[in-house]
Amino acid sequence: VSTDLTATSGDCDDNDSNLYPGAVKVIGASAGYYSQLLNAYVAASGGDTLQNMEETVIGDTNFNLNKTVTLEGGYNCGYASVTGMTTISGDMTVSNGTVFIGDIILQ
C-alpha cells in the first residue's frame, strides 16, 4: 500500500480537533477521522464508507486489501452535506477487493 496524497491543513471546527480540511471521515465499524485517504482505507473495515471533503488531493493510491469500501467525495467541511466533488489527481489502482466511488473526479 503506497500513496503520496497531500491535502490542505487548517481548521473546520474549533470545537472538534479531528475536523479539519483534508480529514477523511470513516463511517461504519471503523468510524473516525484520518489525515490521508490511504490511512482511512487501511483502518476501514469491509463495508465502511470513506467520506472526503470537496477538495483536490494529489498522489497515487493503491487499494490492495481484500475488502469492500465506498469512497464518497464532495462533502463540506462539517460533513453535513455534499456540496461539490472531490478531485483525486494521480493514479488510482484497485488490485484487490472492491471500491465503489461517488462524487469523485479522477485526473
Side-chain angles (χ1 to χ4, degrees):
V1 177
S2 65
T3 189
D4 291 357
L5 293 178
T6 59
T8 306
S9 62
D11 189 16
C12 286
D13 182 347
D14 290 336
N15 297 314
D16 186 345
S17 62
N18 294 309
L19 192 54
Y20 52 89
V24 180
K25 184 176 183 183
V26 176
I27 303 298
S30 303
Y33 294 91
Y34 298 87
S35 61
Q36 292 186 347
L37 176 58
L38 178 63
N39 295 340
Y41 170 67
V42 169
S45 297
D48 284 356
T49 297
L50 313 179
Q51 294 178 323
N52 295 266
M53 291 183 191
E54 178 184 1
E55 64 179 352
T56 298
V57 291
I58 300 169
D60 298 336
T61 305
N62 183 9
F63 293 99
N64 62 0
L65 302 175
N66 187 19
K67 60 177 137 183
T68 298
V69 296
T70 299
L71 179 59
E72 295 179 349
Y75 283 88
N76 63 6
C77 199
Y79 292 100
S81 62
V82 173
T83 56
M85 302 285 279
T86 297
T87 300
I88 298 177
S89 181
D91 293 330
M92 179 179 289
T93 304
V94 179
S95 57
N96 198 356
T98 303
V99 179
F100 295 102
I101 298 174
D103 296 316
I104 303 280
I105 298 170
L106 300 175
Q107 291 184 333

